Amino acid sequence: MSDAPAPDAGVGPTGPRAFEFEHVPETDQSFENALAKARSGERLTVDDGVELLTTGTENREIDRERKELVLEAANRRRADVVGEDVTFVANLNNNVTTACNTGCLFCNFKNSSHAFETESEIDHAGFTKTPAESRAVVEDALDMGIYEVTSVSGLHPGFALDDEHHEILRGYDDAARTVNYKPPERYETDPGTYLEQMDAMSVGDVHLHSMTPEEAYHARRGTDWSYESVYRKLRDAGLDSAPGTAAEILVDEVRDVICPGKIDSQGWVDAMEGAISVGLDVTATIMYGHVENEMHRVMHLKEVRDLQDRTGGITEFVPLSFVHQQTPLYERGVVTGGATDAEDELLIAVSRLFLDNVDNVQSSWVKYGNAKGLKLLNCGANDFMGTILSEEITKRAGGEYGEFRSFDDYVEMLSAIGRPPVERSTDYRTTRRLDPDDGPHGPMLGPRADGTPMLDQQEQKQ
Ligand code: SF4
């Protein structure tokens, strides 16, 4: 890993122009030409994408009129590709552990793994679940009609793929330093192995969406195992598809600044190809609005488009706007905020226009909030995420459901903007239109779903 570029104090308010990067958002293309290509459906180059993202301006200001032209082109493309439907899924987040020592500077999720050790006296608010605890969470959620479990976890040093992996890792001298491994006995709670967790969460016909490229790397660290062989074992244990998170920005000079402990861009691509090669669907993400510039964002889109050209395995592209509060990047003054509304809109729009081989683009209400999330459905996005019922939420009795979006909420919000609400399976292969005049609405596609609203079922359990 190379050293991070030195900040150039006094340039730019929020980072993108504050680093001396090799890649900068300068092109020989004109905004007008790029827009004409976007409108005609011609495949865009990286330079075209940069012109559309920057609205062709030399400074950091976005030209509002030009922005509207880009959004309009993207909205029309969205209608041509997937029509007016807005999709969502009945899903549950079950994160196995918050223990991690990778130290990504944009992360406010993890807790230092050291604090989880039995001998540690450090207080922490994190958790680790045993496989049995994970299974109980999924069992409960299934009864409420959930059919997708998304599980993304910290890189717990006691986690290994299976017993063989534990043996290999135990054989290293100074394993904590060389392969980020400590035996699970050192910790208050043993997360079990990755295969045990997959098996535990794969209850009934639930769709298990887990094992990001970074987690897959952790599940093969210290070995010469291929991603393909690791994902095959995970698939056989119950994994159905893999989230392409940990992509952040797929340009190494940016990763060196925000996540120097993570796999590099090629590692992410290799892992995704490994997952796809064993028949798993994948998603792809971008996490933007921190230190990167518009050239990096479009270079990232090109990596994703190339991967899709080679494999066809990406079901959905998920833009994630950087949430800066409580992150080391913000607390250390490296950034002073995240992306602006205009940047969010343009990122969604250019993703739709640039990724001519990915049908679905998500608007994440968790990242953007309701109002902007709905607006982005008119900027090129067509998917509105899922219910995201989390364990924490299910334990609350009638309190705030800030992390939960019911089917009735979906119907109400989407009807308000004149778009048909459509329940979908994780892989988009099964869909069901909801009638706004009927109700109340609940999931119907899951193995135990019968249309009962999920919150009603939860109340009955308490
Ligand atoms: S690997 Fe994941 S959980 Fe760990 S610090 Fe990085 S983003 Fe956070």
Side-chain angles (χ1 to χ4, degrees):
M1 276 158 234
S2 62
D3 291 331
D8 178 2
V11 183
T14 309
R17 301 288 161 86
F19 286 86
E20 291 179 350
F21 287 124
E22 178 191 345
H23 300 288
V24 293
E26 291 169 5
T27 82
D28 292 329
Q29 177 60 293
S30 72
F31 174 80
E32 288 76 13
N33 281 344
L35 182 64
K37 286 174 71 176
R39 284 173 166 164
S40 70
E42 197 178 326
R43 181 163 264 208
L44 301 179
T45 63
V46 169
D47 284 0
D48 295 331
V50 170
E51 286 303 308
L52 298 177
L53 262 189
T54 58
T55 59
T57 53
E58 295 285 313
N59 52 37
R60 296 207 63 208
E61 296 297 313
I62 286 171
D63 183 304
R64 297 180 71 85
E65 283 179 23
R66 286 181 169 185
K67 183 195 79 172
E68 291 306 321
L69 298 176
V70 178
L71 304 188
E72 204 178 288
N75 196 35
R76 199 168 305 142
R77 178 76 64 83
R78 183 269 309 156
D80 289 346
V81 175
V82 290
E84 297 302 317
D85 291 354
V86 176
T87 49
F88 50 89
V89 64
N91 63 350
L92 159 91
N93 264 6
N94 179 52
N95 304 316
V96 171
T97 179
T98 56
C100 191
N101 57 9
T102 308
C104 302
L105 273 70
F106 58 83
C107 179
N108 62 5
F109 167 72
K110 54 87 183 36
N111 301 99
S112 167
S113 59
H114 176 62
F116 290 67
E117 292 183 37
T118 314
E119 290 176 5
S120 168
E121 291 178 1
I122 304 170
D123 278 343
H124 67 89
F127 59 84
T128 298
K129 290 177 195 144
T130 64
E133 287 169 331
S134 286
R135 176 170 285 259
V137 170
V138 177
E139 278 283 1
D140 261 11
L142 267 166
D143 286 341
M144 286 187 282
I146 288 280
Y147 42 85
E148 174 192 296
V149 176
T150 301
S151 181
V152 175
S153 298
L155 306 178
H156 191 305
F159 235 157
L161 181 69
D162 54 13
D163 290 344
E164 182 187 359
H165 194 203
H166 271 299
E167 283 313 305
I168 293 170
L169 294 170
R170 279 181 211 275
Y172 273 86
D173 290 336
D174 196 5
R177 198 179 55 78
T178 53
V179 286
N180 189 20
Y181 178 75
K182 289 183 183 176
E185 309 85 76
R186 294 265 296 263
Y187 293 88
E188 277 177 7
T189 307
D190 178 354
T193 66
Y194 279 113
L195 294 189
E196 287 166 348
Q197 284 284 355
M198 295 301 111
D199 181 57
M201 286 188 275
S202 181
V203 183
D205 286 332
V206 79
H207 182 109
L208 181 54
H209 185 58
S210 186
M211 298 304 293
T212 69
E214 195 67 39
E215 292 176 288
Y217 172 77
H218 200 59
R220 63 181 278 272
R221 69 195 188 283
T223 74
D224 58 2
W225 298 342
S226 66
Y227 282 110
E228 185 179 341
S229 66
V230 169
Y231 272 114
R232 182 176 294 111
K233 285 185 181 176
L234 291 163
R235 182 202 64 191
D236 292 347
L239 182 65
D240 294 297
S241 63
T245 43
E248 324 311 356
I249 293 287
L250 293 169
V251 181
D252 287 336
E253 65 177 354
V254 176
R255 301 178 81 78
D256 288 345
V257 177
I258 64 169
C259 52
K262 266 190 166 158
I263 53 175
D264 62 12
S265 305
Q266 189 58 49
W268 183 89
V269 171
D270 291 345
M272 287 278 94
E273 289 189 339
I276 295 166
S277 71
V278 300
L280 298 171
D281 286 337
V282 300
T283 58
T285 59
I286 180 172
M287 202 269 297
Y288 66 94
H290 36 87
V291 305
E292 89 294 353
N293 61 46
E294 293 86 347
M295 178 59 80
H296 297 126
R297 295 178 192 175
V298 186
M299 289 170 71
H300 178 105
L301 294 178
K302 176 78 163 48
E303 282 284 0
V304 172
R305 191 173 72 185
D306 288 349
L307 174 63
Q308 182 74 331
D309 275 346
R310 291 195 301 277
T311 65
I314 302 172
T315 54
E316 177 182 40
F317 185 64
V318 184
L320 302 167
S321 197
F322 171 57
V323 178
H324 63 279
Q325 292 91 345
Q326 295 167 11
T327 65
L329 277 179
Y330 180 65
E331 284 162 358
R332 294 177 196 175
V334 182
V335 301
T336 55
T340 63
D341 288 350
E343 285 181 285
D344 287 331
E345 291 165 12
L346 282 164
L347 195 284
I348 293 277
V350 175
S351 299
R352 168 60 70 186
L353 294 165
F354 196 91
L355 298 176
D356 52 11
N357 53 3
V358 178
D359 284 351
N360 302 298
V361 176
Q362 185 178 96
S363 168
S364 161
W365 57 262
V366 169
K367 295 287 182 189
Y368 299 114
N370 288 346
K372 201 198 299 185
L374 287 170
K375 167 85 196 287
L376 296 175
L377 295 171
N378 286 325
C379 302
N382 67 300
D383 183 69
F384 208 23
M385 221 182 172
T387 53
I388 311 286
L389 186 72
S390 74
E391 183 207 31
E392 191 191 348
I393 301 302
T394 64
K395 281 184 178 162
R396 287 184 199 159
E400 55 173 300
Y401 294 102
E403 289 178 57
F404 178 75
R405 176 71 60 251
S406 75
F407 272 38
D408 283 330
D409 290 340
Y410 270 115
V411 170
E412 191 182 328
M413 286 194 293
L414 296 174
S415 299
I417 61 165
R419 299 279 289 278
V422 176
E423 179 184 7
R424 68 166 169 92
S425 58
T426 305
D427 59 12
Y428 286 88
R429 289 178 185 110
T430 313
T431 56
R432 175 182 75 107
R433 246 165 213 269
L434 277 69
D435 182 350
D437 296 329
D438 270 358
H441 302 274
M444 289 288 282
L445 301 182
R448 294 183 209 164
D450 60 4
T452 308
M454 293 154 70
L455 284 184
D456 286 0
Q457 298 214 5
Q458 180 58 22
E459 280 156 13
Q460 282 166 20
K461 280 169 171 262
Q462 288 169 351

